[in-house]
Amino acid sequence: MAKAVNNMGMSIVEPQERMRFLSNHGNIIEVDANVPVTRYYRSGTEMLRMANVYLTEGNHENAFILYMKYMTLFIEKIRSHPEYPKIKAEVKVINKRIKEEIMPTTEKLRAKLLERYQKEYEQFLANKEAEKARELERERQRRATAGGSSSGGSGAHIPTNLHVQIDPSMQPSAPDLGLLDKVVYPSDFPTGTNRAGSGLLLPGDADKEGAKSISKPPSFDRNQKPHYERSDSLLAGSLRTVIIPENTMDVFLQLAQSNTLKNIETCGILAGHLAQNRLFITHIIIPKQQGTPDSCNTMNEEEIFDVQDQQNLITLGWIHTHPSQTAFLSSVDLHTHCSYQMMMPEAIAIVCAPKYKTTGFFILTPDYGLDYIAQCRQTGFHPHPNEPRLYMESQHIQLDAQRKIQVVDLRR
């Protein structure tokens, strides 16, 4: 596979290779046996909601990846979950949806993306030929300048107006760098490409090396985006921005005030929607719950799901109080948040500490804490190592004073 780097440091590959890269992204999803199988089915519902938004907005790469993830999860990976035999009815419904809706939509997306990539590839080749012609002309002029005054002979005439007309409308559209890991076009410098990996590939992925041959994602520069190392992130190398209404914390503290006065924690679910590749928290859902001075447990989860289904909301994290302590994540909080962040890499944990008038916006460290907590089998309050860090302040959030949070209080 020919491979090079353009003047922005981006690796470049051919159209079929770009499609294999997208398919590979969609194939990378893992199932943790310790996460209830119902969480994966909720995650699948929200995956489709986001995919449909991307499709409507014309962000076809992101839509393609999410549809592929959905199929990979429910055709292949979910079977490894120990609770899989208990959900046969749901599997039947999902398989029917995949066959009748998701797979045809994904194939149409594949064809549309391939067509676009082919046009960009052809334009790239045309630009490259034009640049070669310009370089030849510059070299001819350099030689003429160097030897023209001393040479009295005559030679073959080389035209000085070499120029290739390029249609401006055909200029390559820059793909989403976070999504494609800076994969754009092919190049001149042949190097061997190792293709490894396996997973669900739709028709059209097969090549000379076999249907399961997948290119390795090239390296890329993360300096301009929030870091996120896990390979199952939607946008490898970055987290989407989460927009939070600025009044969210004040509204929640008012809802929690009666519990706070009794030194009891209160918790709520942060939900919202996707638009223009940003995640907007729009609702706090307060479930029925039982709290203590240092813990809070939700009840009747199906009521939360009903609200989200009715209002087409996706889960974006959770919020809770520390009535008499500072803003931090306890060992129990770390395990609670792990399940949110595994389903949604951008999910945040907001901790309000009214006694100290502080608020923390936290995520598990993607390069260490998330995997560490996912593999920890201890329950209740228990010690964790302080180094490396297990959690950190969120860097991908943005407070918005113009937006107002909405509340659904299921306790009433």
Side-chain angles (χ1 to χ4, degrees), residues 2 66 113 171 200 228 269 335 339 365 387:
L66 282 176
L113 286 166
Q171 289 298 321
L200 174 71
Y228 194 77
I269 308 301
H335 283 266
S339 62
T365 52
E387 294 293 338

Side-chain angles (χ1 to χ4, degrees), residues 16 20 28 46 53 57 65 99 155 190-191 197 207 226 303 363:
Q16 288 290 348
R20 278 191 289 270
I28 300 173
E46 297 184 358
V53 170
E57 293 180 346
I65 285 177
K99 182 179 179 181
T191 58
D207 61 11
E303 293 182 356
I363 61 169

Side-chain angles (χ1 to χ4, degrees), residues 82-359:
E83 296 176 8
Y84 175 75
K86 300 178 183 178
I87 42 87
K88 289 182 179 177
E90 289 89 341
V91 170
K92 197 171 183 179
V93 171
I94 286 175
N95 286 345
K96 185 173 185 289
R97 174 181 288 172
I98 287 173
K99 182 179 179 181
E100 296 179 358
E101 301 174 24
I102 310 304
M103 194 171 287
T105 300
T106 306
E107 283 305 296
K108 288 179 183 177
L109 274 175
R110 181 192 299 276
K112 188 180 290 286
L113 286 166
L114 266 175
E115 180 182 7
R116 192 187 99 196
Y117 293 166
Q118 184 63 35
K119 289 179 180 178
E120 292 176 356
Y121 175 60
E122 291 169 358
Q123 183 62 41
F124 168 74
L125 294 179
N127 289 347
K128 186 168 63 172
E129 288 302 313
E131 179 57 34
K132 284 182 180 178
R134 288 192 290 270
E135 181 57 36
L136 284 173
E137 174 59 13
R138 287 193 290 268
E139 179 62 24
R140 188 202 68 77
Q141 291 178 355
R142 282 195 294 270
R143 290 181 180 180
T145 301
S149 58
S150 60
S151 172
S154 61
H157 173 68
I158 301 177
T160 60
N161 61 342
L162 288 176
H163 182 64
V164 178
Q165 292 291 333
I166 301 299
D167 182 0
S169 67
M170 289 292 291
Q171 289 298 321
S173 58
D176 186 329
L177 302 187
L179 172 67
L180 294 176
D181 286 352
K182 299 183 178 178
V183 175
V184 191
Y185 307 104
S187 76
D188 296 333
F189 306 99
T191 58
T193 299
N194 296 321
R195 294 173 177 173
S198 63
L200 174 71
L201 297 180
L202 294 179
D205 282 325
D207 61 11
K208 295 180 181 178
E209 298 177 37
K212 290 191 176 182
S213 174
I214 302 172
S215 63
K216 286 186 177 180
S219 59
F220 54 93
D221 181 3
R222 292 188 174 90
N223 290 338
Q224 302 305 316
K225 292 182 176 292
H227 287 201
Y228 194 77
E229 305 286 352
R230 285 176 63 88
S231 59
D232 57 352
S233 174
L234 174 62
L235 305 179
S238 67
L239 291 176
R240 292 166 291 187
T241 301
V242 177
I243 309 298
I244 308 170
E246 199 171 78
N247 73 328
T248 298
M249 286 62 69
D250 287 341
V251 169
F252 179 66
L253 284 171
Q254 290 175 10
L255 292 165
Q257 187 173 19
S258 61
N259 280 344
T260 301
L261 293 173
K262 301 172 189 174
N263 195 28
I264 294 175
E265 284 193 6
T266 306
C267 66
I269 308 301
L270 301 172
H273 64 268
L274 168 73
Q276 300 299 318
N277 209 32
R278 297 194 296 171
L279 298 163
F280 293 82
I281 292 175
T282 57
H283 289 70
I284 299 176
I285 304 172
I286 311 292
K288 292 183 176 68
Q289 53 194 270
Q290 293 178 334
T292 72
D294 52 20
S295 68
C296 186
N297 296 313
T298 61
M299 303 161 60
N300 299 355
E301 261 193 339
E302 64 279 358
E303 293 182 356
I304 303 172
F305 301 155
D306 286 343
V307 171
Q308 291 181 290
D309 291 342
Q310 290 165 13
Q311 304 198 37
N312 207 30
L313 300 172
I314 55 179
T315 305
L316 298 174
W318 64 303
I319 183 170
H320 73 290
T321 56
H322 281 181
S324 58
Q325 300 182 77
T326 58
F328 68 100
L329 292 183
S330 68
S331 59
V332 171
D333 294 340
L334 292 172
H335 283 266
T336 298
H337 188 63
C338 183
S339 62
Y340 286 99
Q341 199 169 325
M342 286 180 69
M343 297 295 110
M344 170 69 74
E346 291 85 357
I348 62 169
I350 302 179
V351 183
C352 299
K355 181 178 179 179
Y356 296 90
K357 294 181 171 55
T358 58
T359 301

Side-chain angles (χ1 to χ4, degrees), residues 371-395:
D371 286 330
Y372 181 93
I373 297 299
Q375 294 171 28
C376 177
R377 297 294 172 257
Q378 296 186 65
T379 59
F381 290 98
H382 54 277
H384 287 132
N386 293 324
E387 294 293 338
R389 291 185 304 165
L390 293 176
Y391 69 97
M392 60 185 281
E393 285 277 350
S394 301
Q395 302 298 310

